[in-house]
Amino acid sequence: MTSTVPALGTRTAEGSALQAVLLDMDGTLVDTEGFWWDVEVEIFARLGHALDDSWRHVVVGGPMTRSAGFLIEATGADITLAELTVLLNEGFEDRIDRALPLMPGAARLLAELYEHEIPTALVSASHRRIIDRVLTSLGTQHFALSIAGDEVSRTKPYPDPYLLAASGLGVDPARCAVVEDTATGVAAAEAAGCQVVAVPSVAPIAPADRRTVVTSLEEVDLAFLRGLMTQMR
């Protein structure tokens, strides 16, 4: 299922091999990866368990079912996956209601893509209830559609979310630039056949074929993304 925004529809990027830009949310556009970890730490502390900081690299970027399931198993906490999922979403919503900091360069990049009518999708492992709250702050006009983690049978690291986004925009995945901050998201985008820009937020990501690593979104603009397509063999 997708949530569409009529303002952009499925317009194409004329005169460029770049057909669309697909963007991750947490840690890529909004500085919220730390929010998830803080909420997880607080919830498990109430349950009588301390989380090992090294686990942060395990749970970052993945679907909530995987992350929450790992933490339950690792701690032996007396809570079900369904119960923990509710608590995590509620805790995260409380955090973003108080503050939703954007990553440096995010607002400028979104504005540039919109100005040049580049079809853009938000592709996240977060649930729809979370995405819709964040979209209000990012500006729904910036996205032709959005894909949530609870709307696909297989979310990241599987390619399904990015393939669905490309299909919804009516574009070739190989002509899409994906911007991601985690290895899980990068794996999903590469499996879909997209050209990837990695902006690591928590754990390092190494450069690779069809993958360019930058330190900040401030290094990424439309010219940069179009240039990635010229590197394709």
Side-chain angles (χ1 to χ4, degrees), residues 145-167:
L145 60 83
S146 58
I147 307 293
D150 57 340
E151 294 174 344
V152 291
S153 58
R154 301 189 309 173
T155 188
K156 304 173 188 179
Y158 294 100
D160 304 36
Y162 283 112
L163 291 174
L164 183 59
S167 176

Side-chain angles (χ1 to χ4, degrees), residues 27 36 55-56 75 101 116 138 155 176 212 219:
W36 284 113
W55 295 344
R56 182 173 182 177
T75 60
H116 291 273
L138 291 176
T155 188
C176 293
T212 302
E219 300 176 44

Side-chain angles (χ1 to χ4, degrees), residues 6 14 27 51 56 93 110 123 145 150 157 212 230:
E14 296 181 2
L51 300 188
R56 182 173 182 177
E93 287 174 354
L110 289 175
V123 183
L145 60 83
D150 57 340
T212 302
T230 66

Side-chain angles (χ1 to χ4, degrees), residues 35-45 51 59 67 71 88:
F35 285 12
W36 284 113
W37 179 248
D38 290 344
V39 170
E40 289 161 348
V41 168
E42 291 172 3
I43 291 172
F44 278 90
L51 300 188
V59 301
S67 301
L71 293 174
L88 288 172

Side-chain angles (χ1 to χ4, degrees), residues 19 25 44 54 56 81 84 86 102 104 147 191 193 203 206 209 228:
Q19 293 182 343
M25 188 177 77
F44 278 90
S54 65
R56 182 173 182 177
L81 182 60
L84 180 56
V86 170
L102 299 186
I147 307 293
D209 187 39
L228 296 178

Side-chain angles (χ1 to χ4, degrees), residues 108-207:
R108 187 261 317 145
L109 177 60
L110 289 175
E112 183 180 19
L113 294 175
Y114 181 72
E115 178 184 356
H116 291 273
E117 302 186 352
I118 305 299
T120 304
L122 187 67
V123 183
S124 176
S126 291
H127 289 187
R128 171 56 57 189
R129 59 186 285 186
I130 299 296
I131 287 182
D132 284 346
R133 282 179 180 250
V134 174
L135 277 171
T136 300
S137 295
L138 291 176
T140 56
Q141 74 277 11
H142 292 123
F143 303 94
L145 60 83
S146 58
I147 307 293
D150 57 340
E151 294 174 344
V152 291
S153 58
R154 301 189 309 173
T155 188
K156 304 173 188 179
Y158 294 100
D160 304 36
Y162 283 112
L163 291 174
L164 183 59
S167 176
L169 293 173
V171 297
D172 179 358
R175 295 296 178 181
C176 293
V178 169
V179 185
E180 275 279 0
D181 73 303
T182 67
T184 300
V186 167
E190 291 179 340
C194 303
Q195 190 78 28
V196 181
V197 179
V199 193
S201 62
V202 175
I205 299 173

Side-chain angles (χ1 to χ4, degrees), residues 56-76:
R56 182 173 182 177
H57 297 286
V58 179
V59 301
V60 68
M64 186 178 295
T65 51
R66 189 200 73 185
S67 301
F70 168 82
L71 293 174
I72 291 173
E73 182 176 354
T75 60

